[in-house]
Amino acid sequence: MAYDLITMGRIGVDLYPLQTGVPLPQVTSFGKFLGGSATNVAVAAARLGRDTAVITRTGEDPFGEYLHQALRDFGVDDRWVTPVPGLATPVTFCEVFPPDDFPLYFYRRPKAPDLEIDAHELDLEAIREARVFWVTGTGLSEEPSRTATLAALAHRAKAGTTVFDLDWRPMFWSEPAAARPFYEEALRHTTVAVGNLDEVEVATGVREPHAAAEALLAAGVELAVVKQGPKGVLAVHRDGTTAEVPPLPVNVLNGLGAGDAFGGSLCHGLLEGWDLERTMRHANAAGAIVASRLECSSAMPTAEEIEAAVTAGEVR
């Protein structure tokens, strides 16, 4: 069976405060959720009816068992989610200060299991056959995940749609300045690149959105998607098609996870063969809906919710 989408990258447990506007030392109650960027993208696409799977690793512990249960509940295939003895499943805390302050605290030391993905254990044929394959910049930050990510990309050889989520998290890199060559290598095997202004600057050295999009195209991709925060999203295709879509008005509760909802909807639009503007409008709406909710994975919207937001021109 060829999957609509296979993602490869982070997984963990998100522990989000159930009180907003409260510093972490004073928070007294938390909600537990499935988390991790690549995993959330698979969940978001599954919510839209796609057959999805994730390649990642957990600790051999109760939190790892919880993540398997959550993936199955969301309809995401967990066959390539394997335990790493001796390492703990990562936990992430955040603080929630709407509308635009959401500090994250990652507990991924001494090493996150998802960075122990090994190239020799990959189902390369399944990766090649998937209609969309999604990898992240974090997967390049340490070995053996770095070699595994690049091996998967090279074997896929741009079959179908291959998305590189630039996903820049400098705290995951022992030498952040050394990241660009690995980003450049990944872009050579990529058909779609997605990132915000900080991320495209890491990948290309260019920050201005249109120039960054052109730099990503020059690096080898067919579609460059540059997220510009309050200015919306810019998408530029190699064929000259361009879409620049403003953000949807929304009362933000928690902005975390909005980018993953955007990613899942982006994959859905590409699979549907929608035109570039429609794809971007729906992806923007998906992100805005999740920003209006506390959680990430369990907040991923349905197709009907996204369509309603696009039609209304806002998240109600």
Side-chain angles (χ1 to χ4, degrees):
M1 155 185 156
Y3 291 88
D4 289 328
L5 170 66
I6 296 177
T7 68
M8 180 174 170
R10 288 205 310 276
I11 195 170
V13 176
D14 287 344
L15 293 176
Y16 285 179
L18 300 181
Q19 302 145 280
T20 62
V22 178
L24 204 55
Q26 280 72 55
V27 173
T28 57
S29 56
F30 296 86
K32 180 182 68 175
F33 307 101
L34 170 74
S37 178
T39 304
N40 280 339
V41 170
V43 170
R47 188 63 61 86
L48 297 174
R50 295 297 173 182
D51 292 323
T52 72
V54 61
I55 301 168
T56 190
R57 306 197 73 182
T58 70
E60 201 169 44
D61 53 27
F63 273 153
E65 294 175 15
Y66 161 71
L67 295 176
H68 277 280
Q69 294 169 9
L71 285 168
R72 291 192 289 267
D73 288 346
F74 287 127
V76 177
D77 195 324
D78 64 344
R79 70 180 63 193
W80 296 305
V81 181
T82 57
V84 181
L87 292 180
T89 298
V91 174
T92 302
F93 289 88
C94 80
E95 294 175 302
V96 180
F97 296 103
D100 58 4
D101 187 17
F102 308 101
L104 279 169
Y105 303 91
F106 293 98
Y107 290 78
R108 291 170 58 86
R109 295 298 178 190
K111 189 175 187 180
D114 54 63
L115 293 173
E116 284 291 323
I117 299 172
D118 192 289
H120 298 97
E121 298 172 354
L122 295 175
D123 187 336
L124 292 173
E125 291 312 303
I127 289 170
R128 186 175 177 85
E129 291 171 5
R131 297 177 66 192
V132 179
F133 180 52
W134 178 288
V135 301
T136 74
T138 294
L140 301 173
S141 64
E142 286 194 42
E143 294 290 4
S145 172
R146 176 185 299 150
T147 293
T149 300
L150 295 174
L153 289 171
H155 184 84
R156 183 166 169 84
K158 294 191 176 181
T161 299
T162 304
V163 185
F164 181 23
D165 174 8
L166 302 178
D167 180 43
W168 176 241
R169 304 281 184 178
M171 72 285 290
F172 295 163
W173 291 75
S174 58
E175 296 182 44
R180 186 170 298 161
F182 301 114
Y183 272 68
E184 290 173 345
E185 176 65 17
L187 287 168
R188 289 181 52 240
H189 303 289
T190 298
T191 63
V192 181
V194 183
N196 61 30
L197 296 179
D198 290 336
E199 291 165 340
V200 298
E201 185 175 18
V202 167
T204 68
V206 180
R207 187 174 183 85
E208 195 282 322
H210 289 269
E214 291 300 327
L216 290 169
L217 295 177
V221 308
E222 297 174 12
L223 174 62
V225 180
V226 182
K227 294 183 278 190
Q228 306 175 81
K231 293 186 177 180
V233 62
L234 167 68
V236 181
H237 196 278
R238 183 176 296 281
D239 66 9
T241 308
T242 301
E244 193 157 10
V245 177
L248 230 57
V250 58
N251 290 321
V252 175
L253 176 59
N254 184 357
L256 302 174
D260 303 332
F262 180 100
S265 182
L266 168 65
C267 292
H268 179 65
L270 294 172
L271 287 164
E272 286 290 304
W274 290 344
D275 65 63
L276 199 53
E277 181 157 341
R278 181 181 182 188
T279 300
M280 292 303 115
R281 288 193 181 280
H282 278 71
N284 255 2
I289 290 168
V290 170
S292 73
R293 300 169 176 176
L294 174 64
E295 63 273 25
C296 293
S297 53
S298 55
M300 295 302 173
T302 64
E304 292 76 18
E305 290 174 319
I306 295 172
E307 192 63 53
V310 171
T311 301
E314 62 179 345
V315 177
R316 293 174 175 169

